[in-house]
Amino acid sequence: MGNVVIGRLDKIDEWTTGAPFTKSSEIKPDANETVLFSLQEFDKGKCGGKDVRLFVPSELADECKDLSNVSVYFDLELYPFFQRIKEEMKSDEKPRGVLRIRRKVLEEKGDSVMIGDLFVLSALVGEPSEAMVKRTKGEVRPSHVILTVDFGGGTMGHLEYTFASEGEKIEFEWSGIKRIIEFDSDEMTPLTPDGLTTLPLSYSVDAILSGAHSADEGLLQSLNKYRSLLTGGDWR
């Protein structure tokens, strides 16, 4: 059974990918092969089938829920920096503290990136019970959203999002009882030429294949809960 990955091809780090993959117009990959398709090439009618494992970003989860062998991935969870942070924080029995995230993402991502982040963070620090949401007016560009989230157990989150037509950035800060962890994607500079350019936020095909979640009823219900949290503030 082959794999079909739908997503942003510019996010794939080919240098750190070990799994064999190809960018092809053929929708049916050979066994043990992974074929990458851009979001613009996505055609639900051609992606189904028992002989294909389909991997889609979280914004396509609802659209693909009636297909078989579908897994959903979340970009925040795939970044190498977040995988390292997760290992550090999981060494604590129950992380307690303040989580701060600032993200600049493409405007087209909309609420899907925030819903996805809540899904990923809930596995790290606990299920959010309520959130206060502040948004700029619809005509303001770039637009901004601030989430103040109660993750329970003494953990609070302050998540800031800027939606713009170009550029991406992530700042992550965890202030816990025993440790402080910080990350800034703008500091991911290469050795040459003279550290004048920043490295893109990217992840490997391997990370998608190993880190994606089965698009079962439990996952879809969780995403709906977080969607409700952003619009209504409380699902209890």
Side-chain angles (χ1 to χ4, degrees), residues 54-99:
L54 181 62
F55 296 80
V56 300
S58 57
E59 59 262 37
L60 295 181
D62 281 331
E63 188 173 347
C64 297
K65 63 183 179 182
D66 56 339
L67 299 177
S68 59
N69 300 320
V70 178
S71 294
V72 176
Y73 64 88
F74 303 87
D75 66 342
L76 177 63
E77 192 173 34
L78 302 182
Y79 293 126
F81 86 85
F82 186 81
Q83 295 177 25
R84 291 193 293 269
I85 287 173
K86 183 169 65 173
E87 291 303 314
E88 285 288 323
M89 291 180 62
K90 281 194 171 181
S91 63
D92 296 335
E93 183 175 344
K94 172 63 175 75
R96 288 186 296 168
V98 178
L99 178 67

Side-chain angles (χ1 to χ4, degrees), residues 26-40:
E26 295 293 330
I27 196 67
K28 301 296 184 183
D30 296 330
N32 300 319
E33 182 187 33
T34 298
V35 178
L36 308 183
F37 289 89
S38 68
L39 287 168
Q40 292 74 24

Side-chain angles (χ1 to χ4, degrees), residues 48 177 213:
I177 296 176
H213 304 259

Side-chain angles (χ1 to χ4, degrees), residues 153-209:
T155 295
M156 295 295 295
H158 184 83
L159 316 180
E160 300 180 13
Y161 295 87
T162 295
F163 298 94
S165 59
E166 59 182 5
E168 290 185 301
K169 178 180 179 178
I170 296 181
E171 294 177 60
F172 185 104
E173 179 185 323
W174 167 253
S175 299
I177 296 176
K178 297 181 179 180
R179 71 187 74 202
I180 295 176
I181 302 174
E182 297 179 314
F183 172 82
D184 186 338
S185 62
D186 279 356
E187 297 178 358
M188 292 171 30
T189 55
L191 296 178
T192 55
D194 301 322
L196 297 178
T197 59
T198 57
L199 293 173
L201 286 163
S202 59
Y203 39 77
S204 66
V205 174
D206 308 65
I208 295 176
L209 299 182

